[in-house]
Amino acid sequence: AREEAIAEMTTGGYGFHSIWTNLVSSLEEMDIESLRVELSRRQQRTRAATAKAAIHSAWTAHIAAAQRNDLDGVMEIYGPDMIFIVGGTDLRGRAALRRHEQGSLAGATVLNALHTTDSLKVLEHSAFELGTIWGPVVSQDGPAQTVEFSFMARWQLGSDGRWQLSTLVGQL
């Protein structure tokens, strides 16, 4: 492969000039395997940074939708085969989760909630997050209370390029 690259560069019609002999020697001395390893590391870091930003944006949009009492907006974060285990609630699928979220929105108003990611491991099409959402919530029958929700989430990267929750396990 190295010899083919040098041949293509020098005789492949790219206008190679003899003053560029240092390019040939650089390619001959290059540690290709180390280059591959470093490229893979950089791609993983880029993928992780991109996923982290997208996941943070998804949580921000989810919280903003809850503050607007927008059920459709709240549901955007959840994937099609969502598993939701929070406190004593164990729900499977978007339909069951939609009914649950509708009841939650009817029973409380979310004020200034904040999301933090404590740990995030990104694989090719999955990500695993440990995080917290906390902030004041006003229930229909009481004053504002600060709620802290600690969770473990599994995210899936969809064919549309969006990260969506596939599993959410947590405790209020």
Side-chain angles (χ1 to χ4, degrees):
R2 180 190 318 255
E3 293 76 22
E4 291 171 1
I6 291 171
E8 184 176 350
M9 179 179 73
T10 56
T11 62
Y14 296 106
F16 181 80
H17 192 277
S18 60
I19 64 169
W20 295 324
T21 55
N22 63 326
L23 293 177
V24 173
S25 61
S26 291
L27 282 174
E28 289 172 338
E29 297 168 9
M30 189 175 292
D31 181 352
I32 302 296
E33 187 55 35
S34 292
L35 207 59
R36 284 187 181 125
V37 168
E38 181 59 26
L39 178 60
S40 177
R41 283 188 194 128
R42 289 180 185 206
Q43 288 172 330
Q44 176 60 22
R45 283 195 301 266
T46 300
R47 187 171 34 252
T50 301
K52 185 174 184 174
I55 287 168
H56 181 73
S57 291
W59 277 120
T60 300
H62 177 77
I63 292 166
Q67 290 169 324
R68 293 189 312 273
N69 206 27
D70 172 8
L71 180 59
D72 290 333
V74 166
M75 293 301 296
E76 281 293 311
I77 200 169
Y78 301 120
D81 300 317
M82 181 65 194
I83 299 171
F84 180 91
I85 304 170
V86 176
T89 304
D90 185 341
L91 303 170
R92 310 293 167 131
R94 285 179 57 92
L97 188 53
R98 185 176 185 86
R99 287 188 298 276
H100 173 78
E101 290 288 20
Q102 189 171 24
S104 294
L105 290 174
T109 301
V110 176
L111 301 177
N112 296 321
L114 298 172
H115 161 260
T116 59
T117 298
D118 300 316
S119 177
L120 183 68
K121 174 67 176 173
V122 179
L123 305 175
E124 190 76 17
H125 297 286
S126 298
F128 299 88
E129 176 188 18
L130 297 176
T132 305
I133 297 174
W134 62 272
V137 174
V138 178
S139 65
Q140 283 185 337
D141 55 357
Q145 292 183 327
T146 299
V147 173
E148 183 173 329
F149 172 55
S150 300
F151 64 87
M152 185 288 301
R154 179 173 186 223
W155 294 82
Q156 290 294 121
L157 181 61
S159 59
D160 60 358
R162 288 187 317 139
W163 286 95
Q164 287 187 304
L165 283 169
S166 62
T167 306
L168 185 64
V169 178
Q171 187 66 43
L172 291 170

